Amino acid sequence: MKRRTFIKLSVISAAGMVLPIQLEAQPDDVPVLKPRTLITPNEEFYVLQIREPAVIDAANWRLVITGLVKNRIAPLQLKEIASMESVETMRTLKCIGDPIGSEQMGNAKWKGVRLRDLFQKTGVKDDAKVVVFRCADGYHTAIPLADAMHEDTILAYEMNGEPLPTDHGFPVRLLNPGHYGTKNPKWIVNIQLAEKHESYWEKRGWDPVANVKLATVIGTPGAEEEIFAGSTFVVSGAAFDAGHHGGIKKVEVSVDYGETWEEAEIWAKDTPLAWVLWKWKWQVPKKIGPVEIYARATTNSGVTQDEIGIKVKPVEALGYHTVDAKIVDP
Ligand SMILES: Nc1nc2c(c(=O)[nH]1)N[C@H]1C(S)=C(S)[C@@H](COP(=O)(O)O)O[C@H]1N2
Ligand SMILES: [Mo]
């Protein structure tokens, strides 16, 4: 595959006619990166749920807080939540079903309120241990009370400067730092304080804790991609520790089955709650044949991914992501 793309543009001439023009948008030395932007546009953000998205009319929606609360409060309207003190934060979401891949991972800027500010209104009884979220599509999931009270746990109503799109949970969804998508419920209608709860995916055998594991994803090249012998090729991808290991310190790439490692450039990052994007310029050998590309991350706490995946408390790291590609004659 030749890494050169042409974009067809239309321009309106002075006479008002639409004239097609063809521009060479990306010469060979401009790499195609994947992911290509730190912030994933809303239209490109992965969408995942148990059934069709719930379509909610904000005027009729109310958020009810029930269970082991000290004071009952009236159901909350969206405008009341939006008038509370807000926070803006960048967060990467990743699906538990796609731990190494990047297809079900995206990063956005979100706006919302701290969940704990809602509990300030209701108070919490001593026997409450978990917070259960019930959603308009029938999904339900619980998180430990301590996580719910964390200052980074947000009830979000905006995504990249727009009201939360329907696909991503309008009017409100949870952003639960350090946890896979399963613990970031969308279309929330009820928040219940309880002693315990068995969530939708736990009933089906998935990890009830769902801490994100340290992972490095190779976006380019793709599987079985053909790379020209003797060319320069930019290997690129993302790495994410969800804050469990202090953030990503460096990413390295190997094209010799892990014998030697070359440090990649981290070209975009934010806090450890967002992915880092990396790239590495590879002087492709002249010799044609199959090639395996490995990528691994080292965290600020000193953990380096290995072939099998390291057991690190309280969460594990995943092993290297590897991609099989082919070096071919240009
Ligand atoms: N209400 C509801 N929330 C949900 C789900 C769901 O099925 N229903 N799926 C979860 C899963 S498994 C993931 S990975 C994320 C995906 O969020 P996104 O669609 O905004 O990317 O939503 C989570 N929240
Ligand atoms: Mo998921």
Side-chain angles (χ1 to χ4, degrees):
M1 183 176 76
K2 204 149 206 276
R3 294 192 154 265
R4 176 181 294 180
T5 42
F6 293 93
I7 299 186
K8 282 203 182 97
L9 289 179
S10 298
V11 288
I12 313 253
S13 72
M17 277 166 60
V18 179
L19 305 173
I21 54 164
Q22 203 164 51
L23 285 186
E24 191 175 330
Q26 283 177 326
D28 281 348
D29 58 352
V30 175
V32 176
L33 303 176
K34 192 179 169 198
R36 72 190 159 76
T37 49
L38 182 63
I39 307 255
T40 313
N42 288 357
E43 324 70 72
E44 290 171 28
F45 206 99
Y46 81 98
V47 176
L48 213 146
Q49 63 257 329
I50 54 168
R51 50 181 74 93
E52 288 300 297
V55 181
I56 294 177
D57 172 9
N60 299 326
W61 176 87
R62 295 289 183 279
L63 178 64
V64 185
I65 305 181
T66 56
L68 302 169
V69 292
K70 283 184 180 151
N71 332 300
R72 298 221 163 256
I73 60 164
L76 291 164
Q77 300 190 37
L78 182 57
K79 60 178 186 227
E80 292 173 84
I81 295 172
S83 69
M84 291 168 60
E85 187 196 335
S86 65
V87 283
E88 276 185 272
T89 178
M90 201 185 283
R91 293 292 167 84
T92 293
L93 284 183
K94 195 174 199 326
C95 183
I96 195 167
D98 184 28
I100 296 193
S102 65
E103 300 309 321
Q104 292 166 7
M105 170 152 74
N107 182 50
K109 253 192 209 156
W110 312 81
K111 184 176 173 184
V113 295
R114 290 195 177 91
L115 183 63
R116 68 181 185 195
D117 290 353
L118 293 182
F119 297 131
Q120 229 154 33
K121 296 176 190 278
T122 63
V124 175
K125 285 191 178 157
D126 288 344
D127 42 352
K129 297 283 178 296
V130 299
V131 178
V132 186
F133 299 86
R134 292 177 206 280
C135 310
D137 64 338
Y139 188 73
H140 54 95
T141 194
I143 68 170
L145 181 63
D147 289 357
M149 292 301 188
H150 193 282
E151 64 167 344
D152 290 330
T153 303
I154 309 292
L155 207 54
Y157 52 79
E158 266 185 38
M159 179 179 188
N160 292 332
E162 291 169 19
L164 210 56
T166 288
D167 278 345
H168 300 290
F170 182 86
V172 296
R173 80 162 317 151
L174 189 71
L175 294 177
N176 181 9
H179 294 82
Y180 283 120
T182 51
K183 296 295 174 184
N184 292 257
K186 309 191 274 191
W187 314 294
I188 299 167
V189 289
N190 172 232
I191 297 178
Q192 182 199 11
L193 288 150
E195 285 180 56
K196 59 178 195 237
H197 179 79
E198 198 185 12
S199 305
Y200 184 94
W201 283 119
E202 279 95 277
K203 285 188 183 166
R204 292 159 178 82
W206 289 86
D207 175 11
V209 180
N211 273 333
V212 174
K213 294 174 181 175
L214 169 62
T216 305
V217 178
I218 301 168
T220 63
E224 300 307 323
E225 187 166 332
E226 295 186 344
I227 298 170
F228 292 146
S231 69
T232 1
F233 183 94
V234 178
V235 181
S236 70
F240 186 46
D241 86 327
H244 291 298
H245 311 276
I248 305 294
K249 186 173 175 194
K250 69 173 175 187
V251 173
E252 294 163 298
V253 179
S254 175
V255 287
D256 59 6
Y257 307 97
E259 282 295 309
T260 59
W261 293 88
E262 299 282 342
E263 191 164 344
E265 179 196 339
I266 291 178
W267 64 273
K269 61 183 253 187
D270 190 69
T271 72
L273 296 181
W275 62 16
V276 305
L277 302 185
W278 56 268
K279 59 181 181 181
W280 175 67
K281 211 177 199 182
W282 179 28
Q283 209 48 63
V284 184
K286 297 239 161 61
K287 194 171 168 284
I288 63 164
V291 62
E292 256 184 59
I293 299 166
Y294 296 4
R296 70 177 182 194
T298 298
T299 65
N300 287 317
S301 70
V303 171
T304 299
Q305 285 174 270
D306 68 12
E307 220 160 337
I308 312 145
I310 313 163
K311 298 252 185 262
V312 200
K313 285 188 172 125
V315 275
E316 299 165 52
L318 293 167
Y320 314 147
H321 185 198
T322 66
V323 165
D324 290 311
K326 289 179 199 149
I327 302 177
V328 298
D329 279 328

